[in-house]
Amino acid sequence: MVMINLILILLVGGLLAMLSERLDENMPRKVAMAVVLFDLIYLISSILSLPEIAQLQAPITSDPSTWLMHFKANWIPAFGISIEFAMDGISLLMVLLTLILGAVAISASWTDIVKRKGFFEANLLWSLAGVLGVFLALDLLLFFLFWEVMLIPMYFMIAIWGHENRGYAAMKFFIFTQASGLLMLISILVLAAINQETTGVWTFSYFDLLNTSIPEQASYWIMLGFFIAFVVKLPGFPFHTWLPDAHTQAPTAGSVILAGILLKTGAYGLIRFAVPLFPQAALDFSYPAMLLGAAGVVYGAVLAFGQTDFKRLIAYSSVSHMGFVLLGIYAWNELALQGAVMQMVAHGFSTAALFMIAGSIQERLHTRDMSQMSGLWHQMPRMGAVAMFFVIASLGLPGLGNFVAEFLILLGLFQVNVWITVIAATGLITGAAYSLLLMQKSFQGEINKKWAESKLSDFGQREMMTMAVMIIALIFLGIYPQPILNIAEPVLHSLLDLTALALPSIAEAKL
Amino acid sequence: MNASVFYAMTPILVLSATAMALMIQASIKRDHKVASIIVAIGLILSLLGSYYASNYTQPVTVLLQVDNWSLFFTGLIIAASLIILSLSLKTFLPEGERKEEYYLLLILSVLGAVVLIQSSHMVSLLLGMELMGVALYVMIAFPERGDLPLEGAIKYLVLSACASAMLLYGFALIYAATGSLSYIGIGAEVARAYEQNPVLVLAGSAMVLAGIGFKLSVAPFHMWTPDVYEGAPTAVTGFLATVSKGAVFVALTRFYIDGNLYQYTGLTAALAVLAIASMLIGNWLALRQENIKRLLAYSSIAHFGYLLVALIACAHIDIQLVSQSITFYLTAYIVTTLAAFAVVASVAGEDVRGQEIQALEGLFWYRPLEASALTVAMLSLAGIPLTAGFMAKFFVITVGVQSHLWVLLVALIVGSAVAIYYYLRVIFAMSKPCEVKGKASTGFDRTLAIILMACVLLLGSWPQPFIAYTGTL
């Protein structure tokens, strides 16, 4: 029930936020913030009250009773579709990230949104609810439902409150994810139909479908359907073209959610579904997948270097960083997977913060063009310092979360394929190049005469508080990553065991 | 012939009686209000009648087959006609004098649709189709002003006549081959006839399919659709899109399955070509439409393409599942389309300018309820989860996957992916900021929008009861 409540609180909270606009124009953002924080507290308290949390026993992936939480109720019994939620360490991390970044996004929308505030906060909360559903649903059709439905509030956020080219960006975002989602729908249905043919029962439950024996050739095609849907969302090269537009045109809060959370649903889907359901096919496909990952790392970095638009640069850097995640997942060993999970969390914080800074700059200068910025540090020292921190974090400075993540991924990848590791490692260098370029062009150098006269307000208390949350999180992840690794480790272990069982060749190699 | 036969025919008898009552009323005192009330009462009574008749399901002579399946669609279509009636009131009341013939035409057309749905014989198929069609030509051309209605009606009339001719010729060929006109009779004889003379059977059924395909406006018989949709009064367009097409598809399903025609790969392949062409052409041509009625016309072409996928699948799998999925899809399509037309009728009415997608700008901010209803309708047509359209598509894809119709499924995916663009355009237009406040809506418009939106959402989010019900039909 806890998991349903988590989602319901956000859904109802969204409605409340929308209605509260009638009382006072500034009420919605307060209501939304309260709702998200309440949800967060509710989650933490119910996790702490679980007996299992003390020992963090390794769950058996195919046995829901060993997971942290499990809930199942009939929904459409005619097709064996149920409302099934389950939570393990990875979903827990993702849900925590979602709620924390949700609060950050609401803070980012505090002054950014001036029109129809109620409807905006409602859409924000609803998209958070959709994302929670994606991270928790373990019935494949329910998962698909959340996967598609979370797009709609996001679509509205871009289409109504976005910047100058919002219609195009919102449309492109929706069509890319929806079309690839249809491929996944077919894959899900084929998988369920194969299971129905062998067992005689319709079911869409993850735990049942894990045991399906799929003909080899079919499993490759089905796996590709999942893979494409997830890689579009990730986004991996060459399906990334929606991302720069959507991120650039979205309002700040929308960018925060998109980059911080929505991209992670793709990575989560790969870890949870694409590989464990089709271990053999995923193994066969791991080489092309890793090549795509490496291509994404390099390509994203090169394009980021060529941008003049502040937000677009960060968007392309996301392509590069998410390339690492793809590499980590398809290396499929413990180190690399740990790194991938770590990267999902760390990238969530660092990019969210950078987008918030971009939003604050745009709110003050009404432009995102870096050639018009330069020397902003002099006028806004606090924002400059904060930006410096996150730029450094994003380029992977040791001691911060992103470094731990990328290092683990490269370490794990090295055991699998040396050459791809070499290519991917260049991403760290190019990363430094575009990150520092961003800093130099916007915050350092001479003050642009255009802004010299005008008084630009620095970060205020609210913004500094929000930034502090993310700064602390990144330092914590960098210096003492063990708690996160501990939460993810048992889950990754059991996933590796599960796929190793299905792949005798790997099991033998391990012995 | 005993009494229970007449009980089984209750809906048809009530509708016929209503038509006669209308004519009597016209001879006594011509009055707009009274006529509309008589029609409303007649429709409600025949709706109850179709429920009552479910106790007496049986074949009525060789012409009609009254069973639960056809009674369900009879009820659905009469309910849809009631909604169309309520939309027409707004259109024709302001037009003033001598407009009550419209109601007579409406009731006759509904009667034709019901006969079509219950038909089990080629004669009743033709009777129903012609009764429905002839009344429809006049309904399309009914407005006194403007050239568009007349143009649409003439187009529909001329092409319909061609289609009927094809249909008749097809009947003749099938009769020559099998010696039977009833579906069951054809089904029993078709295997032997096919052995003797395959060309006759295939040519005959292909011509029947072409004639029916015209009424369904599947590609390549779709040319008339956008012009007629645009030219007809909005309420009549809604009637054409839901009642007329729905009834024809039910008749096609019955003919195709009872006539055992699904066993012949030649026909299946022909249907597959029609389906693929409809899915691709319909969605592709909808992309550039500026008028929402034209957009819905092309979208309906695509939707009947999706429906054909289910029909084709009955060559491979259990017929029960196929008929369940057709029932679900048609119901979802009719409810969703009604929701869309209800909003279009209340927002734009007969104003051609107002039907432009641009004219919908800002609808969210001054008429939020109707904008939400149209959004839900568009999402449902696009097949987004939690709406009826998604469950319908889920059904069709399941059936397609089980019968391994991969090529058709690829066309379905490509078509749906293209389709998202134009459905979203409508939603995007509505969410644009706007300065001018449009006219406010009436309480009736809002209630209707809420009811239809609720139906679409309910069918999509809690489909189990309805799925279970379709299993019993």
Side-chain angles (χ1 to χ4, degrees):
Chain A
M1 268 332 264
V2 174
M3 292 174 285
I4 292 193
N5 288 342
L6 282 173
I7 296 171
L8 277 183
I9 290 171
L10 291 178
L11 287 178
V12 176
L15 211 60
L16 284 181
M18 186 158 74
L19 294 177
S20 69
E21 196 179 10
R22 298 193 183 174
L23 295 177
D24 179 62
E25 202 198 1
N26 289 327
M27 201 65 172
R29 60 193 193 197
K30 292 175 197 160
V31 174
M33 187 60 107
V35 167
V36 170
L37 291 180
F38 174 73
D39 218 27
L40 192 61
I41 293 167
Y42 176 65
L43 170 73
I44 293 173
S45 68
S46 42
I47 287 293
L48 289 180
S49 65
L50 286 175
E52 290 97 315
I53 193 74
Q55 62 249 30
L56 267 172
Q57 60 165 14
I60 303 159
T61 307
S62 52
D63 179 8
S65 61
T66 61
W67 289 40
L68 287 178
M69 295 182 202
H70 179 244
F71 173 87
K72 186 170 186 174
N74 272 342
W75 180 28
I76 311 176
F79 284 101
I81 302 168
S82 53
I83 299 182
E84 185 168 28
F85 292 107
M87 187 194 277
D88 63 2
I90 293 185
S91 358
L92 173 63
L93 282 179
M94 290 299 121
V95 170
L96 277 172
L97 179 75
T98 306
L99 290 176
I100 296 173
L101 286 184
V104 168
I106 292 167
S107 161
S109 73
W110 212 260
T111 51
D112 187 36
I113 301 300
V114 286
K115 274 205 302 200
R116 314 188 200 288
K117 297 175 182 175
F119 193 44
F120 181 85
E121 302 295 347
N123 275 317
L124 203 156
L125 290 180
W126 290 336
S127 69
L128 290 181
V131 176
L132 282 199
V134 166
F135 286 138
L136 294 174
L138 263 295
D139 181 284
L140 263 65
L141 211 84
L142 189 68
F143 170 78
F144 175 79
L145 182 143
F146 281 113
W147 181 265
E148 296 271 286
V149 169
M150 72 176 173
L151 298 180
I152 297 168
M154 198 64 227
Y155 169 81
F156 278 125
M157 276 161 77
I158 302 176
I160 300 179
W161 295 273
H163 302 308
E164 63 284 347
N165 205 5
R166 56 182 181 270
Y168 171 76
M171 199 78 89
K172 198 169 172 184
F173 161 71
F174 200 100
I175 290 177
F176 263 73
T177 12
Q178 228 279 340
S180 62
L182 277 172
L183 284 179
M184 179 164 73
L185 177 65
I186 301 258
S187 286
I188 292 174
L189 281 172
V190 174
L191 180 62
I194 290 177
N195 188 58
Q196 193 257 352
E197 268 167 34
T198 48
T199 63
V201 193
W202 275 107
T203 175
F204 285 87
S205 167
Y206 176 68
F207 304 106
D208 296 334
L209 292 175
L210 272 177
N211 306 320
T212 313
S213 56
I214 316 161
E216 200 170 313
Q217 207 195 352
S219 87
Y220 199 80
W221 287 104
I222 305 173
M223 186 276 303
L224 270 186
F226 280 91
F227 180 79
I228 291 174
F230 294 141
V231 165
V232 166
K233 201 54 157 272
L234 193 59
F237 176 83
F239 302 109
H240 63 279
T241 56
W242 63 271
L243 177 125
D245 290 307
H247 282 55
T248 311
Q249 299 302 326
T252 309
S255 303
V256 168
I257 292 190
L258 264 174
I261 312 168
L262 239 61
L263 303 190
K264 276 68 193 179
T265 58
Y268 168 84
L270 287 172
I271 298 181
R272 172 79 75 217
F273 298 105
V275 179
L277 284 172
F278 321 98
Q280 183 63 51
L283 180 70
D284 295 345
F285 192 66
S286 65
Y287 193 64
M290 284 190 287
L291 277 182
L292 284 183
V297 169
V298 176
Y299 185 76
V302 171
L303 281 189
F305 191 77
Q307 300 305 317
T308 53
D309 183 316
F310 198 109
K311 275 179 124 179
R312 242 182 142 77
L313 191 152
I314 309 170
Y316 275 112
S317 83
S318 284
V319 176
S320 179
H321 289 307
M322 295 319 274
F324 275 108
V325 175
L326 190 59
L327 284 169
I329 293 170
Y330 275 85
W332 203 251
N333 56 37
E334 195 177 333
L335 277 176
L337 279 173
Q338 287 280 24
V341 173
M342 201 66 182
Q343 175 82 329
M344 282 153 77
V345 178
H347 173 262
F349 286 121
S350 64
T351 316
L354 284 175
F355 272 122
M356 237 185 112
I357 292 166
S360 313
I361 294 178
Q362 184 168 21
E363 207 178 312
R364 290 163 174 81
L365 307 186
H366 303 287
T367 176
R368 300 186 303 268
D369 188 355
M370 285 190 292
S371 60
Q372 299 197 28
M373 293 176 185
S374 99
L376 291 178
W377 193 307
H378 301 285
Q379 279 157 304
M380 300 183 283
R382 269 183 297 207
M383 191 195 280
V386 170
M388 192 72 203
F389 176 85
F390 285 107
V391 162
I392 295 278
S394 130
L395 68 79
L397 188 81
L400 298 174
N402 307 54
F403 169 76
V404 178
E406 281 165 19
F407 183 70
L408 282 174
I409 290 175
L410 290 175
L411 210 57
L413 187 63
F414 191 77
Q415 300 172 1
V416 180
N417 192 316
V418 176
W419 283 110
I420 292 182
T421 318
V422 171
I423 300 171
T426 60
L428 288 177
I429 305 165
T430 43
Y434 66 72
S435 304
L436 293 176
L437 185 81
L438 175 80
M439 202 58 208
Q440 282 179 357
K441 274 194 179 167
S442 49
F443 283 97
Q444 293 166 335
E446 292 285 304
I447 303 180
N448 188 332
K449 286 187 203 85
K450 218 168 152 190
W451 319 114
E453 300 303 313
S454 53
K455 177 102 185 68
L456 298 175
S457 60
D458 203 355
F459 265 174
Q461 218 174 11
R462 170 184 59 84
E463 283 134 321
M464 285 310 277
M465 283 254 295
T466 319
M467 291 296 167
V469 171
M470 291 185 281
I471 291 174
I472 292 169
L474 279 181
I475 295 179
F476 179 75
L477 288 176
I479 300 177
Y480 186 50
Q482 203 54 41
I484 305 291
L485 299 180
N486 281 348
I487 294 179
E489 192 222 54
V491 182
L492 297 176
H493 249 301
S494 64
L495 276 176
L496 286 168
D497 288 348
L498 179 88
T499 48
L501 275 182
L503 300 172
S505 56
I506 289 193
E508 275 165 28
K510 267 193 174 170
L511 292 171
Chain B
M1 274 275 218
N2 53 20
S4 78
V5 173
F6 289 98
Y7 297 148
M9 287 173 66
T10 325
I12 290 182
L13 293 178
V14 172
L15 287 173
S16 315
T18 314
M20 284 190 276
L22 270 176
M23 285 189 267
I24 294 169
Q25 179 250 336
S27 69
I28 298 169
K29 181 177 185 316
R30 306 196 57 164
D31 185 82
H32 195 100
K33 270 230 169 87
V34 178
S36 62
I37 290 170
I38 292 178
V39 173
I41 292 173
L43 285 175
I44 291 170
L45 282 181
S46 58
L47 186 62
L48 297 176
S50 63
Y51 177 70
Y52 172 72
S54 63
N55 301 322
Y56 303 96
T57 53
Q58 57 186 300
V60 176
T61 69
V62 286
L63 293 179
L64 299 176
Q65 173 74 33
V66 180
D67 55 15
N68 282 324
W69 198 61
S70 59
L71 282 176
F72 166 73
F73 276 109
T74 307
L76 180 68
I77 266 170
I78 292 171
S81 310
L82 263 172
I83 291 169
I84 298 292
L85 173 73
S86 70
L87 298 180
S88 336
L89 287 181
K90 258 181 60 170
T91 314
F92 293 115
L93 270 182
E95 289 236 339
E97 78 279 25
R98 64 163 199 79
K99 285 298 179 192
E100 61 271 24
E101 298 94 327
Y102 175 81
Y103 300 103
L104 183 60
L105 294 167
L106 181 72
I107 207 91
L108 286 175
S109 203
V110 178
L111 179 62
V114 171
V115 170
L116 195 54
I117 286 173
Q118 303 187 346
S119 66
S120 63
H121 195 277
M122 285 180 173
V123 169
S124 47
L125 177 79
L126 189 77
L127 265 179
M129 206 182 262
E130 290 303 304
L131 182 56
M132 184 177 78
V134 172
L136 248 177
Y137 309 143
V138 191
M139 280 162 76
I140 293 170
F142 213 77
E144 283 172 348
R145 288 178 281 276
D147 300 330
L148 280 178
L150 209 56
E151 182 197 328
I154 298 276
K155 245 181 203 160
Y156 192 51
L157 170 70
V158 173
L159 289 172
S160 258
C162 293
S164 298
M166 293 262 265
L167 198 66
L168 274 172
Y169 197 57
F171 287 168
L173 292 183
I174 291 183
Y175 182 69
T178 63
S180 178
L181 280 174
S182 74
Y183 301 167
I184 303 284
I186 296 171
E189 290 296 317
V190 72
R192 184 192 54 76
Y194 186 77
E195 255 173 43
Q196 281 177 353
N197 197 344
V199 178
L200 212 53
V201 173
L202 287 186
S205 26
M207 296 193 91
V208 173
L209 285 185
I212 292 180
F214 166 82
K215 292 276 181 184
L216 291 177
S217 73
V218 292
F221 311 110
H222 65 282
M223 307 295 184
W224 57 275
T225 327
D227 294 331
V228 175
Y229 264 56
E230 188 188 11
T234 307
V236 177
T237 314
F239 186 85
L240 182 69
T242 56
V243 176
S244 155
K245 286 191 174 185
V248 174
F249 199 86
V250 172
L252 169 67
T253 310
R254 174 136 292 155
F255 172 68
Y256 191 66
I257 292 178
D258 283 355
N260 273 339
L261 294 171
Y262 56 87
Q263 295 166 351
Y264 301 104
T265 41
L267 275 186
T268 319
L271 271 186
V273 171
L274 294 190
I276 293 174
S278 309
M279 290 188 266
L280 298 183
I281 293 177
N283 283 321
W284 192 255
L285 293 180
L287 288 177
R288 305 296 302 246
Q289 299 307 320
E290 294 300 330
N291 181 305
I292 187 148
K293 277 159 81 178
R294 288 183 82 89
L295 186 145
L296 285 168
Y298 283 111
S299 131
S300 87
I301 296 173
H303 275 279
F304 280 92
Y306 302 149
L307 257 170
L308 282 180
V309 176
L311 197 60
I312 292 163
C314 64
H316 307 277
I317 55 166
D318 185 24
I319 304 245
Q320 168 72 16
L321 189 63
V322 171
S323 80
Q324 245 181 308
S325 60
I326 288 176
T327 314
F328 198 101
Y329 202 108
L330 267 182
T331 312
Y333 171 77
I334 287 176
V335 174
T336 307
T337 311
L338 276 178
F341 275 105
V343 176
V344 172
S346 89
V347 173
E350 300 313 314
D351 174 18
V352 182
R353 276 265 192 72
Q355 292 162 1
E356 303 272 303
I357 292 175
Q358 262 188 340
L360 293 172
E361 274 176 18
L363 196 69
F364 257 114
W365 315 120
Y366 63 92
R367 289 168 87 165
L369 264 177
E370 280 145 306
S372 311
L374 191 55
T375 305
V376 169
M378 288 296 138
L379 293 177
S380 177
L381 288 173
I384 304 291
L386 289 183
T387 60
F390 170 72
M391 277 318 291
K393 215 171 244 174
F394 171 84
F395 252 115
V396 167
I397 297 179
T398 309
V399 167
V401 164
Q402 285 200 317
S403 20
H404 305 289
L405 302 171
W406 304 122
V407 181
L408 285 166
L409 286 177
V410 169
L412 192 149
I413 292 189
V414 173
S416 310
V418 172
I420 301 162
Y421 173 75
Y422 61 84
Y423 294 126
L424 278 186
R425 263 184 75 203
V426 178
I427 299 177
F428 182 64
M430 288 192 294
S431 70
K432 274 191 178 168
C434 84
E435 284 74 34
V436 260
K437 281 231 162 195
K439 61 181 172 106
S441 56
T442 65
F444 178 78
D445 290 340
R446 286 198 295 268
T447 325
L448 191 62
I450 290 177
I451 292 174
L452 289 170
M453 179 166 68
C455 289
V456 173
L457 290 175
L458 198 66
L459 269 180
S461 54
W462 194 42
Q464 178 60 27
F466 186 63
I467 294 177
Y469 174 68
T470 58
T472 65
L473 294 177

